[in-house]
Amino acid sequence: MQAPALRLPAGWPRMALLLGVAMLGWAILGTGLVTEVVVGVLDAVFLAYFVRHTAFVTSSLRHVVPRTSERVEAALPAARDVPDAELPPLSVLVSCKNECFVVDGLVSALLALDYPADRLQLVVVDDGSDDGTGEILDARAAAEPRLLALHRKPGQGRVGKSAGLNFALPRLTGEVVVVFDADHQPHADVLRRLAAHFADPAVGAVQGRCRIRNAADSPLSRLITIDYLAGYLVNEFGRQSVFGLPAYGGANCAIRIEALRALGGWNERSVTEDTDVTMRLMLSGLRVRYEPTAVDDEEGVISLGRYWRQRYRWARGHQQVCRDYLRHVWRAPHLSPAERIETLMFLFVFHVPLATLSALALLLLTFTGLVPSVTVPGGFVLWTLLFLGPMLELGGGMLLSGIQRRDVFAIVWFMPLFLISSALCTKAWIDGLAGTAYDWVRTDRAAAPEGGARP
């Protein structure tokens, strides 16, 4: 499935229309009835996502061996050992823009990957860097013939990761392309574990497991470490084991090049090309698999400013993918009812924080007496499920990983960060509906000074 044609946003007139309709409905129906309807909708949303969280936690706790994170073969499709002669030719691809702090470590990790040399191509794109990234890549490529360094000039097409990846796409020689981000350092066996799944022709992409390597840098990076444990050991594992619908995550992931080219490459209009590719593969009838033993290590952000910029991009892009593909999910004949429901919940996951703020606002109005408490019978009890669901996943991830006791205390920052995430998701939703211009932005690395100063 090709990426949907770019539609001009309706902008603020649409926002004004929606607000006007809401106010008119409020005036006609009255505060009591409107509040009861809103509470009922919020209860249904929170309960549905709590059931989803619980299913994922139950599945992961049953099938993942604590402390080792090894897979039980019955839980996920097995990545069998494949003889070298049967492994598909691979191209490893990374797009870098101003990554001087991490690119040398990246290249060293790529050169240490275990895969037959005659079936492996290593390609790194310097996407218009002005901080010395290109010079570092050229020096490493001159010393190591296996590394191909490509340079995309500033202003050469669209801005963003997708454009950098597409720039290299015609030069790729493999049947499968494995993508990493510049701050990633994959374990040596990652390629073999990812490639084994492509023996099944129904598989279009495979996602590996990412871990945070700089947990000690700040309280925030420590909490993000726990977030990743929950995201990969519980949420992504659960989506695979319960529904068979994990997501292609954009890094430490492999995709069949024939399928990618049939899709038209990575969508350069999307700031979350991974979610976009996930949907297009699924709607084309191909499957994504999750391989939790294919592990690589990446950096977590260390400050709230960087967290906001990164997660705002995630929210903005994911919400746009929801608007682009929501109607297509209903029409997908190869999705079962359960798969269709899970896909819809996946698409709306960055909208749920809007419901969180709505619930908190309604709670505040009740406490101030502006909304009669009688109109929200039992509602606030169910709303606590919204917080309990993520807490279950975080706890499950910590149990399965055998995290050290001192790191567990980072969970005290969960609630403030949850509220910050709700605020940024709400802003992303408003900006998206209003048609506010937004381009892809890179995430500053841990060693970089605040403000993106050059070394």
Side-chain angles (χ1 to χ4, degrees):
M1 178 181 182
Q2 296 285 337
L6 181 63
R7 300 190 303 273
L8 294 176
W12 288 106
R14 170 181 286 183
M15 296 290 294
L17 178 61
L18 292 174
L19 182 59
V21 170
M23 294 179 66
L24 179 62
W26 196 299
I28 294 175
L29 299 176
T31 299
L33 181 57
V34 168
T35 304
E36 290 179 6
V37 171
V38 171
V39 169
V41 171
L42 292 174
D43 284 348
V45 170
F46 297 161
L47 182 58
Y49 277 91
F50 177 76
V51 171
R52 182 176 184 259
H53 287 306
T54 303
F56 292 171
V57 172
T58 302
S59 177
S60 63
L61 291 178
R62 285 184 59 193
H63 296 301
V64 179
V65 179
R67 296 186 180 272
T68 64
S69 305
E70 294 175 353
R71 243 186 325 97
V72 171
E73 294 299 326
L76 297 181
R80 63 182 179 88
D81 291 331
V82 179
D84 287 2
E86 297 180 18
L87 288 169
L90 290 186
S91 294
V92 174
L93 177 59
V94 186
S95 179
C96 301
K97 183 175 180 64
N98 293 334
E99 298 287 6
C100 65
F101 293 104
V102 295
V103 70
D104 198 55
L106 163 75
V107 172
S108 296
L110 296 184
L111 293 173
L113 289 170
D114 175 26
Y115 206 77
D118 62 337
R119 294 173 177 265
L120 179 61
Q121 178 192 34
L122 302 176
V123 182
V124 182
V125 179
D126 164 33
D127 191 9
S129 301
D130 59 8
D131 68 342
T133 296
E135 288 78 3
I136 296 173
L137 286 174
D138 286 340
R140 296 300 301 267
E144 178 50 72
R146 290 182 294 163
L147 180 65
L148 174 61
L150 302 178
H151 298 271
R152 191 169 84 108
K153 297 179 181 179
Q156 189 176 349
R158 289 180 177 267
V159 175
K161 176 182 173 181
S162 294
L165 296 176
N166 282 334
F167 175 76
L169 188 55
R171 302 285 298 272
L172 302 185
T173 59
E175 295 177 4
V176 173
V177 56
V178 181
V179 179
F180 298 103
D181 283 344
D183 62 311
H184 285 228
Q185 295 183 4
H187 293 196
D189 61 350
V190 159
L191 299 186
R192 290 181 178 272
R193 294 183 179 277
L194 294 175
H197 289 276
F198 289 96
D200 183 350
V203 173
V206 183
Q207 176 63 47
R209 180 164 70 91
C210 301
R211 303 188 309 190
I212 299 298
R213 68 172 183 266
N214 63 324
D217 282 359
S218 72
L220 178 59
S221 60
R222 200 177 300 276
L223 181 57
I224 290 173
T225 299
I226 298 174
D227 178 46
Y228 267 55
L229 293 175
Y232 283 96
L233 290 181
V234 179
N235 191 279
E236 193 77 351
F237 186 98
R239 295 195 73 226
Q240 170 71 81
S241 62
V242 178
F243 297 104
L245 295 172
Y248 168 92
N252 191 25
C253 53
I255 183 169
R256 204 181 293 273
I257 288 185
E258 181 182 13
L260 179 64
R261 287 176 172 150
L263 297 176
W266 288 276
N267 184 0
E268 297 182 15
R269 297 189 301 270
S270 176
V271 296
T272 50
E273 86 295 333
D274 48 358
T275 310
D276 182 270
V277 166
T278 297
M279 292 308 303
R280 288 193 285 152
L281 284 173
M282 183 187 306
L283 293 172
S284 69
L286 292 172
R287 290 286 175 169
V288 179
R289 279 189 182 169
Y290 173 51
E291 179 48 66
T293 66
V295 180
D296 84 343
D297 300 315
E298 65 173 281
E299 287 190 356
V301 294
I302 60 174
S303 69
L304 284 177
R306 295 176 184 183
Y307 178 85
W308 180 282
R309 289 189 293 272
Q310 181 190 64
R311 301 299 171 110
Y312 176 89
R313 177 176 63 82
W314 294 3
R316 185 75 181 267
H318 197 103
Q319 291 167 2
Q320 183 60 53
V321 169
C322 181
R323 290 190 286 269
D324 287 342
Y325 297 103
L326 182 62
R327 65 188 183 279
H328 298 291
V329 174
W330 289 110
R331 303 171 186 169
H334 53 276
L335 293 179
S336 68
E339 291 171 338
R340 193 171 284 114
I341 291 172
E342 165 56 22
T343 302
L344 292 174
M345 296 187 76
F346 168 72
L347 285 175
F348 277 107
V349 74
F350 275 92
H351 290 77
V352 174
L354 280 72
T356 302
L357 288 191
S358 299
L360 293 175
L362 195 54
L363 181 62
L364 181 61
L365 291 174
T366 301
F367 286 157
T368 59
L370 296 176
V371 173
S373 59
V374 71
T375 62
V376 286
F380 298 130
V381 176
L382 278 179
W383 291 354
T384 61
L385 298 181
L386 177 63
F387 302 101
L388 290 177
M391 286 296 292
L392 280 176
E393 290 201 6
L394 292 171
M398 288 188 288
L399 284 173
L400 292 171
S401 67
I403 193 171
Q404 295 184 16
R405 181 175 299 179
R406 67 173 182 271
D407 294 328
V408 173
F409 291 106
I411 204 72
V412 300
W413 299 106
F414 165 73
M415 188 61 69
L417 200 63
F418 188 88
L419 296 177
I420 291 172
S421 298
S422 297
L424 69 87
C425 287
T426 300
K427 184 180 187 302
W429 179 74
I430 294 172
D431 290 345
L433 286 184
T436 304
Y438 181 72
D439 288 323
W440 183 90
V441 294
R442 62 178 294 279
T443 300
D444 288 335
R445 304 308 174 194
E450 288 293 339
R454 297 286 179 262

